Amino acid sequence: MAAKKPTKKPNVSAEELKAYYRDMLLIRRFEEKAGQLYGMGLIGGFCHLYIGQEAVVVGLEAAAEEGDKRITSYRDHGHMLACGMDPNGVMAELTGREGGYSKGKGGSMHMFSKEKHFYGGHGIVAAQVPLGAGLAFSDKYKDNGRVTFAYFGDGAANQGQVYEAFNMAALWKLPCIFVIENNQYAMGTSQQRSTSSAEIYERGKAFGIPGEAVDGMDVLAVKEAGEKAVAHARKDGPYILEIKTYRYRGHSMSDPAKYRTREEVQKMRDERDPIEAVRSLLLQGNHATEDDLKAIDKEIKKVVNESAEFAKDSPEPHLDELWTDIYATEVPQEA
Amino acid sequence: MAIEILMPALSPTMEEGTLAKWLVKEGDTVSSGDILAEIETDKATMEFEAVDEGTIGKILIAEGSEGVKVNTPIAVLLEEGDSADDMNTSAPAKAESKDQAASDDAKAPAAQGHSQPKPAAPADATPDWPEGTTLKQQTVREALRDGMAEEMRRDENVFLMGEEVAEYQGAYKISQGLLDEFGAKRVIDTPITEHGFAGIGVGAAFGGLRPIVEFMTFNFAMQAMDQIINSAAKTLYMSGGQMGAPMVFRGPNGAAARVGAQHSQDYAAWFMQIPGLKVAMPYSASDYKGLMKTAIRDPNPVIFLENEILYGRSFDVPDMDDYTVPFGKARIWREGSDVTIVSFGIGMSYALEAADKLAEEGIEAEVIDLRTLRPMDTESILRSVKKTNRCVTVEEGWPQGSVGSYISSVIMQEAFDYLDAPVINCTGKDVPMPYAANLEKHALVTTNEVIEAVKKVTYK
């Protein structure tokens, strides 16, 4: 597979590059496995895979510091794996089992980890954008130097509440990075058919929020832009990253894929795959051998297979769980 | 080892499908992501991709086959090093979870009905403050402000946000003086952007703060409904108890006077339905203060429904350092043996006035103020109805799906044999609020309607 050569000289070590390769591959293999378990009826309902978009979260996580927060939409598996959540717990939530992050009560679209500062997993398009601004508000209130990554898609970018959040984030200089994961399709409606702006990040100008477009198939470009955005957000308030990416699979598992051609998808896979690009960098720069990468592939396969086994073996939640976690009896302690 | 490729479920409801077309043949090498076949579901024709790499060893189900059950092996994939001998196909993998669920259903506990926390003790007619406490006359407006100010002094993570809460001193002057005392960091004027600031409030609560979000009126909270219900109320459950939204949404609710249909709606029954929310709708100033302090300390999202007409009314308020009122405990304003009148919020004005007039005619009504609708002190209602054998409910909201209709169903299920007459729900009329003064008066519940209802259930 021929990958597009990154335009910039990587400013990372071989070890970091290998870690990005590993993290992206984990997401891809995990999602493939999730698709398989869905096909077997072990995962139900809606399931939105992240395949193709791996460089976005891996690149931005490389720019985050401990304590920074993240919140996203229902296409959330990649974000959780990238911020260090346990694949077993994520997969067991997908199968609706006791060992899942939400004890099986949230499912694919609604997962959280206080420990990893991951605030969901939200099923209503764009609701996470004001919520993310609110998380940033809490950090600003406490003056703790933390930032929040609020991820949303090109489809969500047409919801009014995004701009309500932009307005207040700019007014109050909230330490928030608004990450538009532009995968070019809002479900089945292309950006061209749904969105008046060719460059969505430019909408921030109306609010005085700086931003930029980023090549989302190049993990190093994402990381570099992420570092710039984080530095801005910590000091001067909100920043917008419009990360141009591509989703190889359907919107959800029941997507008939009639709105784009098979050739278009294949071309992206062949020419722009973010994992292949890092693989080429590693090999061409003699930072890793085929055997090194094979060892990583093998390790990832093991992790993913174990997560699937865990997710199948973990018992269904006890029926008493139906009635728990509706009301808190004490204020949850902050992680 | 050879891998069985199973007929996939390609939608949340698919149980079987047609294998329309194979795009690979035996002997083809495939890698992950390659399209293997086209499968027709009841909704669409879908592409089916390979998950693993390998060589197609055998195609088990021919193209064109209809009614292929999900999880039936349709082909065998040979991985590196496999031979065709490895192709021992087995029975389709069982979807264990579904079988298990079916057996679990049989031993599911009987419906528990409610997730609401129950009150510690049912209501009685004694005051909520210790005997001998000094009382002062205060308006609902002052009591509310004092309640918020006391909690803001107590916890620096409590802050107030909303339209005109700071420099304007509150559109209804509820937050008067708070900006001066607590500063712009904690008393925050928002733009007119209910959906947005409600969401920011919920996010701030996720992040460890204790927001009080003021809606200038609850009519505007409809713009923010998604954040209130989907984000604030459900997150604790969806996160398996990891995080939630400890916060208060407050503002005037229900009809004011002459502001027409879009500004005159009682949302009590709407919010009362939502598991994860608590709902308070006080009547007296002491309850406004005591319940507001409890609401701010509560680790859950609380809907605090106020009333503009009540803001200026004065009541006795105990002069205490830290006066709180628990959720889920009704207040018995008046004891009586002939009929139980249940109300809350401004409905109490009609209930109490009707009880006074009925007493002149020799009918003694017991008047119960629910104070909170979720949790609801149904125990106090039932105890009273078992004594009086008759019940009338009073509210300004609409009749269909009203708070009163819920109370009626509880009484019917729990105290049917005690009833000597059907329960009557006095509600607002089933119309949008008109502007004309005479029509508006008629659209609301009236004291006379409460009196008539009581006479009907007491056969007087």
Side-chain angles (χ1 to χ4, degrees), chain B residues 177-204:
Chain B
L178 296 183
L179 174 65
D180 290 345
E181 179 174 354
F182 299 103
K185 183 189 172 191
R186 300 180 64 193
V187 183
I188 302 161
D189 278 328
T190 64
I192 302 170
T193 178
E194 281 82 9
H195 199 181
F197 72 69
I200 286 183
V202 177

Side-chain angles (χ1 to χ4, degrees), chain B residues 12-339:
Chain B
T13 50
M14 175 175 164
E15 288 174 5
E16 59 175 42
T18 300
L19 209 165
K21 191 175 176 192
W22 278 108
L23 298 173
V24 292
K25 55 184 190 304
E26 290 177 6
D28 281 1
T29 309
V30 297
S31 58
S32 146
D34 289 353
I35 316 284
L36 298 179
E38 287 180 358
I39 289 171
E40 267 175 41
T41 71
D42 51 346
K43 297 193 189 80
T45 303
M46 314 264 299
E47 293 175 342
F48 175 45
E49 294 180 5
V51 175
D52 300 293
E53 302 174 6
T55 309
I56 299 292
K58 194 170 171 55
I59 286 177
L60 302 170
I61 303 283
E63 65 180 32
S65 304
E66 291 176 15
V68 183
K69 297 264 183 268
V70 165
N71 279 334
T72 308
I74 55 174
V76 178
L77 186 74
L78 301 172
E79 288 189 288
E80 212 172 58
D82 284 344
S83 79
D85 299 338
D86 293 327
M87 293 187 286
N88 296 322
T89 57
S90 60
K94 252 172 64 179
E96 296 161 37
S97 57
K98 284 182 185 151
D99 293 354
Q100 205 179 324
S103 64
D104 279 352
D105 283 346
K107 51 180 193 272
Q112 294 176 30
H114 303 283
S115 55
Q116 306 184 31
K118 285 288 172 197
D124 52 44
T126 58
D128 291 308
W129 43 84
E131 210 177 323
T133 304
T134 317
L135 300 175
K136 58 179 177 189
Q137 281 275 303
Q138 248 192 338
T139 61
V140 163
R141 175 178 283 115
E142 292 160 344
L144 253 180
R145 181 206 53 211
D146 286 359
M148 286 195 287
E150 285 177 24
E151 292 308 298
M152 289 177 79
R153 281 174 212 131
R154 186 174 169 271
D155 180 354
E156 64 176 24
N157 284 332
V158 178
F159 70 96
L160 173 67
M161 73 191 303
E163 293 155 9
E164 311 296 359
V165 298
E167 295 193 2
Y168 194 98
Q169 304 290 325
Y172 295 98
K173 299 276 170 283
I174 304 303
S175 54
Q176 198 155 29
L178 296 183
L179 174 65
D180 290 345
E181 179 174 354
F182 299 103
K185 183 189 172 191
R186 300 180 64 193
V187 183
I188 302 161
D189 278 328
T190 64
I192 302 170
T193 178
E194 281 82 9
H195 199 181
F197 72 69
I200 286 183
V202 177
F206 287 173
L209 301 182
R210 311 302 301 267
I212 305 171
V213 172
E214 175 176 314
F215 292 114
M216 194 181 287
T217 81
F218 261 94
N219 301 289
F220 313 144
M222 278 204 284
Q223 300 248 14
M225 212 50 149
D226 176 62
Q227 293 291 4
I228 298 171
I229 311 294
N230 273 319
S231 303
K234 297 179 184 173
T235 295
L236 186 74
Y237 197 77
M238 296 192 301
S239 69
Q242 287 185 77
M243 62 183 75
M247 64 190 301
V248 179
F249 296 99
R250 52 155 290 268
N253 163 69
R258 308 294 310 281
V259 290
Q262 293 181 334
H263 285 68
S264 311
Q265 185 171 337
D266 175 5
Y267 292 91
W270 284 34
F271 289 112
M272 182 184 85
Q273 220 220 351
I274 310 298
L277 291 181
K278 293 189 178 182
V279 182
M281 189 156 161
Y283 167 60
S284 73
S286 61
D287 287 343
Y288 267 94
K289 182 176 183 184
L291 289 169
M292 177 51 73
K293 285 165 66 75
T294 301
I296 293 169
R297 291 179 200 182
D298 198 283
N300 297 286
V302 177
I303 304 290
F304 203 90
L305 301 171
E306 303 163 8
N307 187 284
E308 190 192 331
I309 290 166
L310 293 178
Y311 279 155
R313 289 210 195 152
S314 293
F315 294 83
D316 283 342
V317 176
D319 194 2
M320 291 167 66
D321 285 345
D322 188 17
Y323 176 67
T324 59
V325 173
F327 280 6
K329 186 182 177 193
R331 175 169 174 187
I332 298 172
W333 278 75
R334 172 180 189 125
E335 287 183 297
S337 54
D338 295 330
V339 62

Side-chain angles (χ1 to χ4, degrees), chain B residues 379-422:
Chain B
E379 199 181 330
S380 290
I381 301 173
L382 293 169
R383 201 173 54 174
S384 177
V385 168
K386 285 176 182 176
K387 180 174 76 176
T388 64
N389 313 112
R390 293 159 168 93
C391 184
V392 168
T393 66
V394 185
E395 69 194 290
E396 282 195 343
W398 288 311
Q400 189 163 348
S402 62
V403 178
S405 57
Y406 173 70
I407 294 170
S408 305
S409 79
V410 172
I411 295 173
M412 198 172 73
Q413 290 172 63
E414 312 267 333
F416 185 74
D417 291 339
Y418 291 87
L419 284 177
D420 285 344

Side-chain angles (χ1 to χ4, degrees), chain A residues 32 38-40 101-103 112-114 127 134 141-142 161 164 249 253-254 262 322 324-325 327-328 331, chain B residues 9-10 12 32 38 46-47 49 71 156 185 193 196 200 207 210 227 237-238 240 242 276-277 300 374:
Chain A
E32 287 166 353
Y38 190 93
M40 292 163 71
Y101 266 96
S102 301
K103 301 188 264 184
F112 305 80
S113 169
K114 196 116 204 178
Y141 191 95
K142 295 179 206 162
Q161 60 179 317
E164 299 189 27
R249 302 288 284 263
M253 297 306 291
S254 42
R262 198 176 282 169
L322 184 63
T324 64
D325 305 321
Y327 291 100
V331 182
Chain B
L10 294 169
S32 146
E38 287 180 358
M46 314 264 299
E47 293 175 342
E49 294 180 5
N71 279 334
E156 64 176 24
K185 183 189 172 191
T193 178
I200 286 183
R210 311 302 301 267
Q227 293 291 4
Y237 197 77
M238 296 192 301
Q242 287 185 77
L277 291 181
N300 297 286
R374 189 180 184 97

